[in-house]
Amino acid sequence: MPIPEDVTGDEIDKDVRQELLSLPKTLAEDVAKNLVMVAKLLDEDPEQAYGYSRVALRLASRVAAVREAAGFAAYAVGKYSEALAEFRAARRMTGSVELWPVMADCERGLGRPEKAMAMAGEPEVQKLDKAGQVEMRLVAAGARRDMGQADAAVVTLQSPELASSAVHPWTARLRYAYADALLAVGREDEARDWFARALEADQGGTTDASDRLAELDGVEFTDALEEDDELDGAEDDGAQDEADSAKD
């Protein structure tokens, strides 16, 4: 796949660059460039990112960072079985537990929420950092809802991290998930409050909390372009009616 000229491969994280030192120089550069493209495209064009990840995987399948990138690219396009296999391979190579939550979420994607719940109770969770533990809690709550246990999902999300007024990178998503879980069990007033709290913490625009709030408040947004098209159509119809009248 083509690599833009302005992509040098030097953009990758220093830890990944360190991993690539085990490869011949030219090969390492090619792998690095493909990994940069995966990172650049993962959110805006996951299919393309997946394509670049396959190239990197073909070039350097024994590099943990490559297996991890391939896992996230597969995860982004809904290839959960493939993603899980790549995450497991990366974990075997590094011994790290940081991929545990996304591995559990792959189990959800494969229609195995019970397996995700089992993973939420494994010792690996205690080895995660705070962000990883919050992520695992989000996955577990999702698994509860997958199993039709909406009330249990609400309880799963109740935690010191949720109650804290401090704002962390994961705060908005945690509050949003709690609001959504409350709404699912009919606690609308509480849900509105937590959507508002999520919006307050969502400095990066990672959630649609503002839209959910507006929906609860009965606010409807109209596309300005659609309005203009409708007005133009009405004017055209009016002009045609006048022309027809003149003919008569």
Side-chain angles (χ1 to χ4, degrees):
M1 297 180 69
I3 304 286
E5 291 183 4
D6 62 339
V7 172
T8 65
D10 293 334
E11 302 90 340
I12 61 172
D13 181 271
K14 65 179 181 179
D15 292 334
V16 177
R17 190 180 297 114
Q18 188 69 28
E19 281 192 63
L20 296 180
L21 290 178
S22 62
L23 303 174
K25 187 174 185 298
T26 302
L27 179 59
E29 290 174 354
D30 288 343
V31 173
K33 289 178 181 179
N34 279 282
L35 291 180
V36 170
M37 294 306 296
V38 173
K40 286 168 67 76
L41 295 169
L42 195 59
D43 291 330
E44 62 187 62
D45 192 343
E47 288 288 350
Q48 278 274 78
Y50 176 76
Y52 284 105
S53 77
R54 300 308 295 176
V55 175
L57 192 60
R58 189 168 65 248
L59 295 173
S61 63
R62 295 186 180 181
V63 176
V66 171
R67 303 303 289 264
E68 183 175 328
F72 278 110
Y75 178 81
V77 295
K79 296 180 182 291
Y80 299 115
S81 180
E82 187 176 313
L84 186 56
E86 298 300 342
F87 290 142
R88 283 173 174 166
R91 183 167 180 264
R92 284 195 300 271
M93 292 174 177
T94 64
S96 172
V97 298
E98 66 177 17
L99 294 172
W100 196 254
V102 71
M103 289 168 63
D105 207 39
C106 285
E107 295 288 1
R108 285 186 61 211
L110 290 168
R112 302 193 294 242
E114 297 86 356
K115 177 63 176 174
M117 281 304 306
M119 290 179 69
E122 294 290 338
E124 283 82 355
V125 177
Q126 302 308 314
K127 300 175 185 177
L128 294 167
D129 61 15
K130 184 62 67 178
Q133 290 182 6
V134 169
E135 195 64 38
M136 192 69 242
R137 191 175 290 277
L138 290 169
V139 173
R144 288 291 189 191
R145 291 182 67 172
D146 293 343
M147 294 187 286
Q149 301 171 5
D151 287 302
V154 172
V155 174
T156 299
L157 291 167
Q158 292 170 349
S159 61
E161 293 80 17
L162 180 68
S164 173
S165 59
V167 175
H168 301 278
W170 38 260
T171 300
R173 291 178 58 240
L174 180 59
R175 292 178 180 178
Y176 182 95
Y178 188 57
D180 197 45
L182 287 169
L183 194 59
V185 296
R187 294 161 63 177
E188 188 171 309
D189 290 342
E190 292 174 82
R192 192 199 181 287
D193 178 51
W194 281 98
F195 277 128
R197 296 190 193 189
L199 181 60
E200 185 179 80
D202 194 2
Q203 300 171 353
T206 57
T207 74
D208 65 345
S210 60
D211 292 340
R212 300 297 297 275
L213 274 171
E215 183 180 328
L216 286 171
D217 290 341
V219 177
E220 293 185 7
F221 295 101
T222 305
D223 192 312
L225 291 176
E226 288 184 4
E227 280 190 345
D228 289 342
D229 289 342
E230 290 175 2
L231 286 172
D232 290 342
E235 289 174 359
D236 291 342
D237 290 343
Q240 185 61 50
D241 289 343
E242 289 180 7
D244 292 341
S245 297
K247 288 179 182 178
D248 293 340

